[in-house]
Amino acid sequence: MPKLSDEVKAKRKTKILDAAFVVFSAQGYTSTTIDHIAFESGVSKGGIYTYYASKEEIFLEIAALRFKKRSQLFSVIKQEHLNQNGIINYTHLIRDYLKSVLNSLSEPEVLNTAKFSFEFWSIVTRDPALKQLANARYNDFYSDLTLQIEEGIHAGFFKKNINLEAIAYILLSTLDGMMHTHVIMGIPLPASAIDHYIEAIMAILFV
Amino acid sequence: MPKLSDEVKAKRKTKILDAAFVVFSAQGYTSTTIDHIAFESGVSKGGIYTYYASKEEIFLEIAALRFKKRSQLFSVIKQEHLNQNGIINYTHLIRDYLKSVLNSLSEPEVLNTAKFSFEFWSIVTRDPALKQLANARYNDFYSDLTLQIEEGIHAGFFKKNINLEAIAYILLSTLDGMMHTHVIMGIPLPASAIDHYIEAIMAILFV
Amino acid sequence: MPKLSDEVKAKRKTKILDAAFVVFSAQGYTSTTIDHIAFESGVSKGGIYTYYASKEEIFLEIAALRFKKRSQLFSVIKQEHLNQNGIINYTHLIRDYLKSVLNSLSEPEVLNTAKFSFEFWSIVTRDPALKQLANARYNDFYSDLTLQIEEGIHAGFFKKNINLEAIAYILLSTLDGMMHTHVIMGIPLPASAIDHYIEAIMAILFV
Amino acid sequence: MPKLSDEVKAKRKTKILDAAFVVFSAQGYTSTTIDHIAFESGVSKGGIYTYYASKEEIFLEIAALRFKKRSQLFSVIKQEHLNQNGIINYTHLIRDYLKSVLNSLSEPEVLNTAKFSFEFWSIVTRDPALKQLANARYNDFYSDLTLQIEEGIHAGFFKKNINLEAIAYILLSTLDGMMHTHVIMGIPLPASAIDHYIEAIMAILFV
DNA sequence: AATGAATGAGATTTCATTCAT
DNA sequence: TATGAATGAAATCTCATTCAT
């Protein structure tokens, strides 16, 4: 076959990635074989290797994509707020972000993402080189959030003497914990818990 | 050979389990081989199969033990409170429990336990039968906590119109999240985050 | 597309063959992939199969070419002798042939040829059909040499009661051995060894 | 099974090595699979890996063994000469060595050894690290031979002004060449060639 | 009961060859 | 014809489990 256009190539890579994401989420990294990915994607085993050098590379590429998506979610919500009324209500912004994440947990796509992410960190934790890379990316997200909270303080939404590092840590880690309990441990998240949780987080920002 | 006494048997099982816990925590379930466990425990490879039917069984038995330990931690702290002054201050109880868990995160034993637990849930999440079992055990812990909070309400420590299910869910899941971020993602937990976090949790119980 | 002229076709075949020779010599038959040949020749992978049916066929075609070249070397030297003085001094002829072969061993082209040839025989030795073919070709060279020696005897250069078969065998096989030790085993051929060797060979022809 | 004695282990290793030698000789290194070795040896695939870390290690171990055997052949013949009459006739010694090697070429064991050796060098020639190792071993043999010739000179058997390096090089390389032509190229070695060859070699030592 | 050697299913990856464009 | 993407057979090596001693 003649040389494929970059666009077509990108499409194939996406096809493989999507299929891999599905099986990784469903069965986990270790239990997933290249055959599974090949079958799910409809691409032959050898074809997989035309686009990716190894199973690990596929896994890492998916992780990179998910990172980006999660980072973008915040910006997306912020943009929506801006579009609606020109100025940003940071209280609403944080609230909406938390709500959005927690309410979407039953969507299959989000569920899979969460499963994938927790497994990603499990694996990454054993590999110092990977860990450094992953942490660097996470820190970008982390510091972006810190920045937003800082803006919220300046704009007069949150109390002044707040420990930025602490609040960012709490916000992200407890949010992850809610997801973990629901998605991985499989314990259904009560609707009331979402509300109480959000109020507790907001309390830290105000009181 | 003569039949081994139950005591000797139990000791051997413990020896195997302890060794397995160490290597599972350090390398993860998949990367751990029976040879590793055999080497670490000093028991021969064949000998391990005299006591456990499979690698999975060992993993599950460790998980069961860790469950029990975590459940007991709450009782232990409660007992200490009782011993000190005959009656229980539920506010202090919860506070101490959270503090105890979060402050001990740098201890190797706790760190290993956390690593192990998160991996346990990752694996369990793929296997419906296991998941049911694991959830049943978790629910014991969960409802025990609910019970304590209820007692706290009756004793007048917490506000009346509290949603027990929600608060228990939040308490355990966010605590897990703090552990996950620190232990698995490897992002150091700031001391100030511990304080803010505890206050936020307590706020839910009071306000 | 329009039919390619035979000339263009031949050029392409040569291009592929030259490239293949380079990579076969450098890395060996097994380690050489069609991709290597494609890259080195600048012809696409599919294009190679337009001209050759298989990797093996390429290898064999190169071998055939090298055979011819080696056979021709003798004729070439003989022709030079003829051109110089009309008649042939067979003593000088043999001597020059041996010298020429051994002295050229450090030239990259010769070195590569030698590497290629020894690998060729290694492979051929496992395949009876190929072996027969290869031997037939080798025998042509062999009997040509025998003929030259016979001519040398008739012309009065060598002793009469010589065993033609034996001397041809010795001459070619020991020459190969010298090449093998130098090129394949990588043990440098001392200049003095060349002289001693040639004298020893000539001694067989005279004494 | 309980721990095997070193003796039993050595036997198993030998069993595997012998089988591997047979298949390597018959089909060549590349075409030989671990399955072939497993089948030929009667040891399971996994069992092979209990004793050897890789296919390459097996190949190298065989090579080491063959090296040793070839080196010893010279000593063995020398010892026989000593045993027969107390002193050594170096002329006979060299002659017997050459005869012994060339006459044994039709024995299957020797034939296989030769096939194996030539392939060994083919492979080794691509790997600098291996090559260094192999050459070091070969040089031991080489310098041992040089020593013997030197002794022969001192004992008055060979001419004084001989170039030791040259003669050793010629002797070994041409001998290899005779083997190569017969064993690998498959051209039968005429009996008369053996005699002529030996005389030519001896001539270098005398004249 | 304990040992550790033996087994063999299964996983990743390579690459000669085919074939759609 | 030429291209290079796609295919899938095959090869090496791992390791949970079995079993002879």
Side-chain angles (χ1 to χ4, degrees), chain B residues 59-94:
Chain B
F59 186 72
L60 261 26
E61 186 119 345
I62 295 176
L65 235 69
R66 296 289 141 184
F67 258 120
K68 215 193 262 176
K69 279 206 179 160
R70 187 170 183 186
S71 305
Q72 287 171 340
L73 177 58
F74 205 96
S75 319
V76 165
I77 293 179
K78 192 177 175 187
Q79 197 55 46
E80 283 171 3
H81 278 247
L82 257 175
N83 292 346
Q84 276 164 24
N85 36 32
I87 63 156
I88 292 175
N89 180 323
Y90 282 89
T91 308
H92 290 178
L93 178 61
I94 300 286

Side-chain angles (χ1 to χ4, degrees), chain D residues 79-89:
Chain D
Q79 197 56 44
E80 284 171 2
H81 277 248
L82 257 174
N83 291 346
Q84 275 164 25
N85 36 33
I87 61 156
I88 293 175
N89 181 321

Side-chain angles (χ1 to χ4, degrees), chain A residues 25 28 30 118-119 125-126 135 138 163 166 169-170 173 177-178 180-182 184-185 187-189 192-193 196-197 200, chain B residues 25 28 30 118-119 125-126 135 138 163 166 169-170 173 177-178 180-182 184-185 187-189 192-193 200 204:
Chain A
S25 309
T30 310
F118 285 112
E119 170 144 50
T125 209
R126 321 277 181 200
N135 283 5
Y138 189 77
N163 184 324
Y169 194 99
I170 291 170
S173 66
M178 301 280 278
H180 188 264
T181 305
H182 176 80
I184 305 298
M185 299 173 69
I187 300 171
L189 173 57
S192 63
H196 277 296
Y197 168 73
Chain B
S25 310
T30 309
F118 286 113
E119 172 145 48
T125 208
R126 324 277 180 201
N135 284 5
Y138 189 77
N163 183 324
Y169 194 99
I170 290 170
S173 66
M178 301 280 278
H180 188 265
T181 304
H182 176 80
I184 305 299
M185 298 173 71
I187 300 170
L189 172 58
S192 63
I204 310 180

